[in-house]
Amino acid sequence: MNKNVFRNLSYGVYVVSTLDGSRNTGCTANSIMQITSSPATIAVSMNHDNYTNSCIQASGRFAVSILSELSAPSLIGQFGFQSGKDTDKFEGIDFTMKEGLPILNDCCGYIICKVINKMETSTHTVFLGEVTDGDTLGSAPAMTYAYYHNVVKGKSPKNAPTYIAEEDISAKDPTKDVTASKWVCGVCGYVYEGETPFEQLPDTYTCPVCRQSKTKFVQK
């Protein structure tokens, strides 16, 4: 099976936030869709291994910050490539509380929901949320997963529904130049691709997704 076919499906890039008791937490997500318009209801798919999953289960509420094409790529690394169980993901993040839930200010819109139902799969929980509030912020277009993949050149966390192993991508993509220099971030999987086989990663380079230094990159 060519897993790249799934990239023809439409996805956005979001930060789903909730509460861990009184502490803010959340994670990146891309499988979110509107189910009904009245009452407004959305579905969110969340991996069982994501700490945010258990926090939504406990709190019964979640918020969605819709990232735009102008949102800082580092937000995806901040919320997608570390666990909220032992990390304060909102440290240093500009956010606003709406109905008791954190909303990123660097986004193009937000939606706040209360959980009204859920469905369990072998790996994910699909939460159904009734929308209690929402608004648009700014005029920048929403970031799609295709934009994130093709322009930002970011990768999905392993817990994301859209995750595809690098070997599966390379094996099915004949346009990839396997001779070019390639460096992979050991934290978030971002790939820096050079123009020539011998191009080196600049000493001052930092990952645009998770902000790690050159020392975290491995040449492939």
Side-chain angles (χ1 to χ4, degrees):
M1 179 177 64
N2 183 355
K3 294 182 180 180
N4 288 291
V5 69
F6 295 121
R7 288 185 170 162
N8 292 330
L9 295 174
S10 178
Y11 302 92
V13 184
Y14 315 95
V15 170
V16 177
S17 55
T18 188
L19 297 176
D20 175 16
S22 60
R23 185 175 71 100
N24 299 327
T25 191
C27 65
T28 56
N30 47 36
S31 294
I32 298 177
M33 64 179 295
Q34 183 178 355
I35 301 300
T36 63
S37 59
S38 182
T41 306
I42 66 172
V44 175
S45 178
M46 188 69 55
N47 194 291
H48 292 158
D49 291 337
N50 280 351
Y51 186 63
T52 303
N53 186 317
S54 60
C55 293
I56 294 176
Q57 303 262 18
S59 68
R61 305 175 69 221
F62 64 88
V64 178
S65 296
I66 304 169
L67 300 189
S68 79
E69 292 181 0
L70 300 181
S71 295
S74 58
L75 290 173
I76 300 169
Q78 178 89 352
F79 286 91
F81 294 95
Q82 53 186 345
S83 174
K85 186 175 183 178
D86 47 28
T87 303
D88 180 3
K89 294 188 179 183
F90 280 87
E91 182 178 1
I93 298 297
D94 191 17
F95 68 94
T96 301
M97 298 299 290
K98 297 285 187 181
E99 296 194 4
L101 293 174
I103 301 296
L104 302 185
N105 290 337
D106 188 6
C107 73
C108 62
Y110 69 88
I111 300 170
I112 296 176
C113 297
K114 64 177 181 180
V115 177
I116 58 173
N117 210 333
K118 66 177 182 175
M119 178 182 71
E120 296 291 347
T121 74
S122 60
T123 58
H124 287 68
T125 303
V126 179
F127 293 100
L128 290 183
E130 183 176 321
V131 178
T132 61
D133 190 21
D135 201 359
T136 57
L137 302 173
S139 58
M143 184 187 297
T144 64
Y145 178 74
Y147 182 93
Y148 170 63
H149 177 74
N150 296 322
V151 179
V152 180
K153 297 189 181 300
K155 305 297 179 183
S156 292
K158 288 188 176 181
N159 287 344
T162 51
Y163 173 76
I164 302 177
E166 182 65 25
E167 57 268 24
D168 291 334
I169 298 172
S170 301
K172 299 296 184 179
D173 188 352
T175 65
K176 270 190 167 297
D177 182 1
V178 296
T179 65
S181 174
K182 183 169 70 173
W183 299 75
V184 180
C185 178
V187 174
C188 72
Y190 174 83
V191 178
Y192 174 94
E193 294 182 325
E195 299 296 328
T196 68
F198 304 105
E199 182 177 341
Q200 296 297 304
L201 197 65
D203 289 337
T204 57
Y205 187 80
T206 57
C207 178
V209 174
C210 67
R211 300 291 181 90
Q212 296 294 321
S213 68
K214 173 185 175 180
T215 59
K216 299 294 184 180
F217 281 75
V218 176
Q219 189 171 18
K220 299 292 186 177

